[in-house]
Every structure is written in structure tokens, then in C-alpha cells.
Amino acid sequence: MVSKQTPGMSGSNLTKEQRREAAREKARLLQEQEKKRLKRNKIIAIVSSIVVLALVVFAVVKIVGGSKAVAESKNVQADYGILIDSTGAATTNVMDVPQVGIYEDTICIHCWELEAGAKEAIDAHMAAGDVQFTIYPVSIFPQQQSSWGAAAMFYIASEAPAQLHDYHSIVMGEQSGIFPRMQAGEELPIEEFVAAAQAAGVPQDVVDAMPDALESTEWKNYVNSATRAFTEKFKEQAGTPTVMLNGEKEDAWGNPQNFGAWLDQVVEDAS
């Protein structure tokens, strides 16, 4: 009977030396496959480590560098007022002196007029520590500069409190202010608020994060909440500037030119 086995493939037909050679070859192939498997696994492990590291770095950058875009307000009262101490810094400390609060919109003409006419008196009483001022930033106009202006006040009060008054003086300034420059027909992009912060000495990392912060949904919503609290409190009388004395709406100051004399009287009445 003719064998059905393919010639040369039967183990019984191999010599002892051929069987040894075949075993060695098989072992060599298995070793090569194992080396390739280990190398492949090592490459996968390295790539995975790189990906994980990149994700960790990204998360850290978002937390450290991007956290300022999240509306985490600091040095802001529950009623959205920003207290200012005698050095011009935002603070949480209430001084035992008359409390004067001012609701204002960065692009409001009457707020600008009040700042221009009463700045010298406000600065003098602030430095003397005989009156404590509170800024209430709101956004009552549809222009985006109105929202940016309020958001910037809250943002700087939170991230660079020591520079708040200096920043406020620039954006509300008689010549440098946002309102007079808009009235002059200038296009004022968000970078103008950033430049004002830099000029006020705000730390560079806070300045760098400022555009994203002012454009963020979180800070916009924060401004909307502050403005809504203002309009709900004063209803049809919710106009800017609104001046408060010791928590009550006050109209006795009359006009910006009389504001200094009114402050003097407030201090005298409190002594």
C-alpha cells in the first residue's frame, strides 16, 4: 500500500540530528515571537504613559492657568458689592465708618460724570479712612463693553484686589475712561480692558487670563446675576449711578460737583 504521508514530513523519517535541528528552529521562532511581543508591549506601555502624562499636564494647565476664567469671586459681598479699604484694595473687612455704595456701569455717562467731578473728594476720604466705599458693578447697556466692564471689576477684585482702585481710576478716568473714548467713536475691543489692567499694575498672569475670563459664560452669568439683583432691588428706579449711604438709597448729594461737600457732611454727621 502506498503511504499517504508527504515525503520528508514524517517525524519517523527524520534523523536524530534533523529532529534536534527542527526543535532548535522551533525554539528560535518562539523566542523571536516572545521578543516581538515584549517589545510591542513595551512600546504600548511607553505610549500609554506619554498619553497619561499629557492628560495630567493638560489638566494642571487648565486648573492653574485656566481657572481664572471660572467665576470664582473673591472679595465680593453677597449683594455683589466690592468693599474698598483705605489703600484702594478690594477687601472683605467692613470699617466702622460711614458706608457709601455706588452702583455703576463702565459705559454710563452719568457714572463717568460722577467719577470725573468727585474723584478728588472720593480719593481723599478713602485715603483718610473716614468713609468706606463700595463699588457695585452692573451691566445695564446692551453693548458688550458694558458686560466686559462689570466682569473686569469683579475679576480684578477677585484675582488682583490690591490694584482694584487703580484699575477703576483708569477705566473710569476723565480722558482714559471707556465711556469718553466710546463717545469719541473709538472701537474698544476687549484688549482695551486688558491694557488698563496692565497699566494698573495687575500681575501678568492675571492680565494674561483676563480675555478668556471676560468672555467666559461663567463671568457673564455672574454679571447678569449682579445686574438682576440691582434691577430687582430698585425696580423702576434702577439707574446708574445709584448712591447708597449706610445701606439706603441717597439722593442728597445732588450732582457730581456737590458730591465732595456731601461726603464732608456725611463724615461730620458721623463724628
Side-chain angles (χ1 to χ4, degrees), residues 10-210:
S10 172
S12 60
N13 294 331
L14 296 175
T15 65
K16 186 176 181 180
E17 183 59 31
Q18 287 174 326
R19 287 197 296 273
R20 287 177 178 174
E21 184 61 30
R24 284 195 291 268
E25 179 63 16
K26 185 175 182 180
R28 185 185 67 79
L29 293 174
L30 289 174
Q31 287 178 342
E32 287 185 356
Q33 290 175 358
E34 180 65 12
K35 287 180 180 179
K36 289 179 180 179
R37 186 185 70 80
L38 292 174
K39 184 177 181 180
R40 184 172 61 252
N41 289 348
K42 185 176 181 180
I43 292 173
I44 291 173
I46 292 172
V47 171
S48 298
S49 298
I50 292 173
V51 171
V52 170
L53 180 61
L55 290 174
V56 170
V57 171
F58 178 76
V60 170
V61 170
K62 291 296 286 183
I63 292 171
V64 176
S67 63
K68 295 179 177 60
V70 178
E72 184 182 349
S73 65
K74 299 183 283 282
N75 304 309
V76 180
Q77 305 301 300
D79 62 355
Y80 300 98
I82 304 171
L83 286 163
I84 301 175
D85 66 17
S86 61
T87 70
T91 182
T92 57
N93 297 322
V94 180
M95 300 163 58
D96 187 21
V97 294
Q99 299 290 316
V100 173
I102 303 175
Y103 287 86
E104 62 181 25
D105 187 305
T106 307
I107 64 172
C108 161
I109 180 173
H110 300 299
C111 300
W112 172 74
E113 288 174 343
L114 176 59
E115 177 72 13
K119 178 174 172 51
E120 185 175 340
I122 290 173
D123 286 355
H125 283 286
M126 180 188 71
D130 53 18
V131 175
Q132 185 169 29
F133 295 92
T134 300
I135 299 172
Y136 291 88
V138 294
S139 174
I140 63 172
F141 293 99
Q143 292 92 332
Q144 59 187 353
Q145 288 86 356
S146 174
S147 177
W148 289 341
M153 292 294 180
F154 288 125
Y155 173 74
I156 291 177
S158 300
E159 302 297 335
Q163 286 77 38
L164 180 68
H165 182 63
D166 289 341
Y167 173 78
H168 181 271
S169 296
I170 293 172
V171 295
M172 298 296 290
E174 188 170 359
Q175 300 298 328
S176 62
I178 297 298
F179 170 77
R181 295 174 62 197
M182 287 184 67
Q183 285 292 94
E186 290 188 49
E187 293 291 334
L188 296 181
I190 201 167
E191 287 75 18
E192 293 296 326
F193 293 88
V194 177
Q198 194 153 31
V202 170
Q204 192 60 47
D205 63 322
V206 178
V207 171
D208 291 341
M210 194 171 175

